[in-house]
Every structure is written in structure tokens, then in C-alpha cells.
Amino acid sequence: MKTKTLKKDKVNIITLGCSKNMVDSEVLSGQLLANEIDVVHENAKKDHNIVVVNTCGFIDKAKEESINTILEQVELKQRGRLDKVYVTGCLSERYRGDLESEIPGVDAWFGTMELPLILKKFDADYKAELIGERLLSTPTHYAYLKIAEGCNRTCSFCAIPLMRGTHVSKPIEAIVTEAEKLVNSGVKEIMLIAQELTYYGLDLYKQRRLADLLRALANVKGLEWIRLHYAYPHKFPMEILDVMKEFPNICNYIDMPLQHAADNMLKAMKRQITRGEMEELVAAIREKVPGIALRTTLITGFPGETLEDVEELKAFLEKMRFDRVGVFTYSHEEGTSAYDLEDDIPAEEKERRAQEIMEVQQEISLEKNQEMLGKIYRVIVDKKESGRYLARTEFDSVEVDNEVIINTTKRLKPGEFVNVRITKAYDYDLEGELV
């Protein structure tokens, strides 16, 4: 008599949203692997029987994408292609009650801080000793490193504290251990992320300790680049700039979302800073670290924004000449203090304003790229695509910033550092030749 052999579970993790979610998925997969459960990210082979969808609930577009992805997976389950569908992440944290009744095909819902509960579904134990053990979903030469969770700010447009709670810093020793493990696995570049990087340490050490953390990470042997994402302009810790100057492996790059430039908008957004103070801060940062690349993000279409406010934002960009800029349209999020305001600007008008602002930045970006012509830069090779290599300078982060296209017959490896002379400049990309 034939006995049916039990098929071993294989888990596919689908990650939506930001790099912080990506890190959560990598930690989950590291824990599953340690419990001898087969796990993959975004499995193209489709030979898995369990799916975990790690959702984003930040703005309308992200919520829509998350719900569509869940529905697709539930449909696969109904067709017998999957055994289980689990959902975690920010959307699940924020709307679990509604979602449970609306999408009954999901086997279990989890919040953002319920990793041990997810593992229980797999009869797996949470292994506390596995600090820094992650199955990377990025290429092996770079990784995101989350230094804190949650946020204490009360920006009126932002739902993150509703989904991620208040700011909780990881201890310096734990972050350094994680960085060492990443470097030992082949990582050359680490991108530090948190909802607010510059608040780091206040909860744990009763003082801001980002400078100390950077110093400790800069001494990790084999770590070539450290990059800073999501600084907050109010009470910016200027001492981190001294550390940046001291260590060549800390990239001259800061990602600091400013959101707007008109004082009435900054006040309505509860940003705790004025346009004048932001201009002074940017000038002070540039004076302290000449040649630093500053990236910012802006919001258009916040309730009450006038065309004059948009003009002021454009004038601010022309004056400040940021190296990199991203623009989001305002999303009216329940639970935020801005939700009490009337969302009075139509979606098409928000998009039109965003486009107008990006056109101003496009010109600035082209001019800044043209200034790089003929100069030599050290770049990290990311990948080969259509017969040419794509790389980045220290002034560019992954996926959001410029790329350097290298045409060469020489064989280059992802994660390799090479020197390149810039030969062509475009709006957002550069071309160069090996030196």
C-alpha cells in the first residue's frame, strides 16, 4: 500500500512598502531558516505552498497595492495553489479588524511587532540569539540596517506612529553585532534607516547618540560605505558631521525629508521648524561637510496649500539646489491630526503640482550632473543590465537616486569598487569610463 509522503512547507515572503518593511521580512526569513523551514523572497518559481504578505499602510496608493496583493494570494489559495496565506505589516496593524471581516480567506493577521506569533504558526520558536541573522532580499553587497523602531513626532500628515508606535532605539552593541554579521556575509554598504535617525538614543541613553553609533560602525572592519536615511531637521545633531568628516567610509550623504518650505504649511504639518531655520541648517551642514549630497522629500496638496505656497516651494528648491528630491502627493489618512482638515485639493491638481516641482528639480539635477563631467569618482557596481554595468557614487542611494552607466568589456562584479571618469551627464543619470 502506497503512503502519501508529507510535502515539506516552502514559504514565500512578499514585501510591500519601505526599506523598514524589507528588514522585517529579512529578519522573519532568518528566523524561519534557523527553524529549518524553507523560505524565499518574492519567489519566481512559484513552488511554495505558504505566503506571508508584509503590507504597507502608509498612503492610499500603498494600501491599494497591499490589498490587491492579498486578494491575489487568497485567490491562489482558493484555486488550490496555496495552503496558507498570512498577512503582517503596517496595513494589518492599522486595519486588522476591518480586514478580517472583509477578506476571510486570510488564515491569520499580524501586527508590526508580532514576529514571535507568526513563528508560532509554523511551530517555530523565536530565537533571541539570532541577532543580525537575516536572509537578505537585496543583492549581497548592500543591506538596510534598522537602528530604531517607531516615532515620537506628531507630524499632522503621518500615520506611522499609529502603525509602528513610539520611538524605540536598538542598543549600539546590538547594531554593531548585526553590522559585523552583514559584512561577514559579503555586505559592503549599509544604509542606516529609522523613522527618525537623528532621534537615536534619546529613549535608551537619555541623549542623542547617533554620532557614537556612527563612530562604532565606522570601525567595523570591511564596511566600505555607511549611508544615512531619514534625518529630521528640528534639533539636528550637528556632531554627526564631525564623525562624517573623520571617517572616509561614512558617505557624504544625508537624506532629510523637509516636506515643504512655506511657513504656514510647515506649521499646519506640525514640523517644528520654519523655512528660515531650514535654510540656516542646510547652509551649516554644507559649510561643515563641503560637497555633501543632500536628499529631501516634499509633499504637495496638503489641505489649504495655495498656488503661492507651491511657488514658494519652487523658489526654495531653486535657492537651496538639493542634490536629490522626491515628491509625494498628500494622502488624507484617518487617525492623523490633518484628517480633521478638509482634503480640499483634487487628486489631479496634487499630481500637477508635484510634476511642476519635479520639473524645477530636473533642471537642477541636470546642471549638477554636468558639473561632474570629466571628474573621477569611486563607484560601487550594482549589476549588469543590457550589456552595461550600473553603479553608484557615494552621493547616491539604491533605487531612489542617480546611477552611473559604465560601458566596458572588462568583467566587473556586483559589490566591486572601481574608479570612473564621467563622460556624459543626463537629468538623473551619468555615463563614465573606467580609469
Side-chain angles (χ1 to χ4, degrees), residues 8 34 60 72-73 80 92 114 146 183 261 267 301 315 333 339 357 367 387 407 416 433:
K8 194 170 183 284
D60 286 340
E72 281 163 20
Q73 299 308 311
S92 184
E114 296 183 328
K146 201 194 298 194
V183 170
K267 191 177 178 188
E333 296 296 318
Y339 197 65
I357 286 157
E367 286 164 10
N407 291 301
E416 188 178 340
E433 57 192 20

Side-chain angles (χ1 to χ4, degrees), residues 142-155:
Y142 63 77
Y144 294 96
L145 182 49
K146 201 194 298 194
I147 68 166
E149 189 60 85
C151 187
N152 282 16
R153 299 290 175 189
T154 54
C155 302

Side-chain angles (χ1 to χ4, degrees), residues 19-256:
S19 49
K20 293 181 276 299
N21 262 14
M22 192 188 287
V23 172
D24 292 344
S25 291
E26 291 172 354
V27 169
L28 168 61
S29 47
Q31 290 279 343
L32 289 171
L33 272 182
N35 280 280
E36 296 180 356
I37 292 161
D38 201 359
V39 59
V40 280
H41 293 287
E42 318 276 345
N43 185 23
K45 281 191 190 162
K46 301 198 172 14
D47 58 348
H48 53 271
N49 65 320
I50 297 174
V51 163
V52 178
V53 183
N54 189 356
T55 58
C56 178
F58 184 44
I59 54 175
D60 286 340
K61 285 176 190 166
K63 287 189 274 193
E64 199 178 311
E65 185 190 11
S66 291
I67 287 167
N68 288 340
T69 305
I70 296 165
L71 292 172
E72 281 163 20
Q73 299 308 311
V74 167
E75 193 190 331
L76 287 173
K77 182 186 151 191
Q78 285 162 351
R79 284 172 25 206
R81 302 271 299 280
L82 292 172
D83 297 330
K84 300 275 183 194
V85 175
Y86 298 125
V87 179
T88 182
C90 292
L91 189 82
S92 184
E93 175 78 42
R94 197 170 167 198
Y95 300 109
R96 190 185 321 201
D98 298 337
L99 291 166
E100 278 176 337
S101 54
E102 283 176 32
I103 313 177
V106 170
D107 294 276
W109 301 84
F110 302 95
T112 51
M113 307 303 237
E114 296 183 328
L115 175 62
L117 295 181
I118 301 178
L119 292 170
K120 273 208 169 70
K121 288 287 174 191
F122 296 94
D123 293 326
D125 299 319
Y126 176 72
K127 297 180 187 293
E129 72 277 9
L130 281 182
I131 186 158
E133 295 290 345
R134 290 154 49 183
L135 174 65
L136 291 183
S137 55
T138 55
T140 52
H141 62 281
Y142 63 77
Y144 294 96
L145 182 49
K146 201 194 298 194
I147 68 166
E149 189 60 85
C151 187
N152 282 16
R153 299 290 175 189
T154 54
C155 302
S156 62
F157 54 83
C158 186
I160 296 289
L162 303 172
M163 300 180 282
R164 293 271 174 183
T166 54
H167 184 103
V168 181
S169 302
K170 276 191 204 172
I172 290 176
E173 304 74 37
I175 297 169
V176 171
T177 299
E178 193 169 343
E180 286 168 347
K181 285 188 178 175
L182 288 168
V183 170
N184 290 338
S185 73
V187 168
K188 304 277 179 70
E189 174 184 12
I190 280 176
M191 286 158 279
L192 299 186
I193 53 169
Q195 208 48 52
E196 185 196 338
L197 217 59
T198 36
Y199 194 90
Y200 177 78
L202 259 176
D203 55 318
L204 203 56
Y205 306 108
K206 305 296 170 257
Q207 55 178 315
R208 292 174 189 255
R209 294 284 301 273
L210 183 58
D212 295 335
L213 173 64
L214 286 176
R215 200 171 271 112
L217 288 172
N219 283 306
V220 171
K221 213 169 156 36
L223 181 50
E224 298 264 1
W225 275 1
I226 300 164
R227 190 178 295 285
L228 278 64
H229 278 284
Y230 321 126
Y232 190 85
H234 178 63
K235 293 190 176 171
F236 182 88
M238 294 300 283
E239 64 273 13
I240 69 173
L241 303 174
D242 295 321
V243 186
M244 202 177 257
K245 278 164 71 173
E246 189 185 336
F247 293 96
N249 59 345
I250 301 175
C251 294
N252 287 330
Y253 176 101
I254 292 177
D255 183 347
M256 182 165 60

